[in-house]
Amino acid sequence: MTDAPGSAGPYGDPPARHAPGTPCWVSLMVHGLDSTEEFYGALFGWEFQPGPQQLGPYVRALLDGREVAGLGRLPPDRHLPIAWTPYFASRNADLTAETVRSRGGTVGVGPLDAADAGRLAICSDPAGAVFGIWQAAAHLGTAVSGVPGTPAWNELLTFESASVAKFYRTVFGYEEEPVVSADFDYVALHLDGEPLAGIHGVGHALPRDRGPHWVTYFQVADIDDAVDQLVHLGGQVLKPVHETAHGRVAGVADPEGARFALVQRPD
């Protein structure tokens, strides 16, 4: 995990409908859905309700009755990396998917309708990192942020930032704010001056078994307690708690190996 530089932070209280390009949802596909619900329910206080079943069994995680994230079950014959996937808002998922293809990305699933909730596509960028596109209908996406148990930031770990940032800028209209440093390859992605996500080029430091991938940061009230709870629940600490300009951060993984980060914001 990395220290998100600049003014990176939660993307704030969500509007009624997320602006195009805004991170609007995170979803995780796993083999053991029941055990994964137990893990995240205990870690973040989530409760669950059934969601659209177009891609198989799927539940939405709720925090105080408001939607936060999604969990689904992978088909037994699909041997895909277990990973959190961020979804970015789009007014037209089909058009956005076409732009992804025309700029060297891949559309692996869809675009398809998720019942009356909306329309989605699951894509990968030219370096292979997986992300989603969400065209909202009945389901607008994450309904709460800025409190413990909610997504706080999304960061892409990839080989180098410049070409990948150009891809996301073309697809979603982001502005770029590079970090000027001889030994730190980082670009923050902005919309209307607000930081929404980061791209960190780490070269050959990428995990060999993972390749380029997005990492979701989840906010917690007390990171030491959260890490202890995570380990007790069968999770793994990949990078111990460390201080950053934006709070205390730890890189972790759940029992099925999905990597994510915990962040405790400064008081």
Side-chain angles (χ1 to χ4, degrees):
M1 306 299 163
T2 59
D3 299 354
S7 54
Y11 41 86
D13 294 332
R17 184 175 295 270
H18 293 273
T22 305
C24 62
W25 190 244
V26 289
S27 190
L28 173 65
M29 303 296 287
V30 296
H31 296 294
L33 184 54
D34 291 344
S35 59
T36 300
E37 288 183 41
E38 292 177 6
F39 173 84
Y40 286 101
L43 183 63
F44 293 138
W46 292 350
E47 298 176 334
F48 301 92
Q49 68 179 19
Q53 309 292 305
Q54 272 68 18
L55 301 179
Y58 191 84
V59 296
R60 290 178 180 149
L62 308 179
L63 188 67
D64 296 327
R66 292 184 287 179
E67 296 174 343
V68 174
L71 301 176
R73 180 179 294 131
L74 280 170
D77 59 341
R78 298 293 296 274
H79 300 288
L80 300 174
I82 307 298
W84 281 99
T85 300
Y87 282 72
F88 300 93
S90 170
R91 287 197 179 97
N92 186 322
D94 295 78
L95 182 59
T96 304
E98 276 303 311
T99 306
V100 167
R101 290 190 186 98
S102 70
R103 299 300 174 177
T106 302
V107 179
V109 176
L112 57 83
D113 290 327
D116 64 347
R119 191 161 175 81
L120 68 87
I122 300 174
C123 310
S124 56
D125 66 29
V130 176
F131 65 95
I133 299 166
W134 182 252
Q135 178 185 334
H139 172 61
L140 299 178
T142 303
V144 58
S145 65
V147 297
T150 62
W153 184 247
N154 290 288
E155 184 170 279
L156 174 60
L157 298 186
T158 191
F159 295 110
E160 56 83 29
S161 68
S163 62
V164 179
K166 182 178 179 180
F167 166 83
Y168 286 99
R169 182 183 73 228
T170 304
V171 173
F172 294 113
Y174 297 130
E175 306 128 16
E176 299 175 29
E177 184 180 287
V179 172
V180 180
S181 172
D183 57 357
F184 193 67
D185 178 14
Y186 197 99
V187 173
L189 301 177
H190 292 232
L191 278 178
D192 297 326
E194 291 296 322
L196 296 181
I199 298 177
H200 189 188
V202 296
H204 296 295
L206 275 171
R208 291 188 179 183
D209 63 338
R210 190 65 54 161
H213 62 283
W214 282 93
V215 176
T216 298
Y217 287 63
F218 291 94
Q219 188 166 336
V220 295
D222 186 309
I223 197 165
D224 298 302
D225 288 348
V227 167
D228 288 345
Q229 175 79 327
L230 175 133
V231 172
H232 175 73
L233 294 167
Q236 180 183 3
V237 177
L238 303 176
K239 185 172 183 179
V241 177
H242 55 286
E243 300 286 345
T244 77
H246 310 285
R248 303 178 70 215
V249 172
V252 298
D254 69 18
E256 287 206 22
R259 298 166 182 258
F260 61 103
L262 303 173
V263 57
Q264 178 185 339
R265 295 294 183 186
D267 295 331

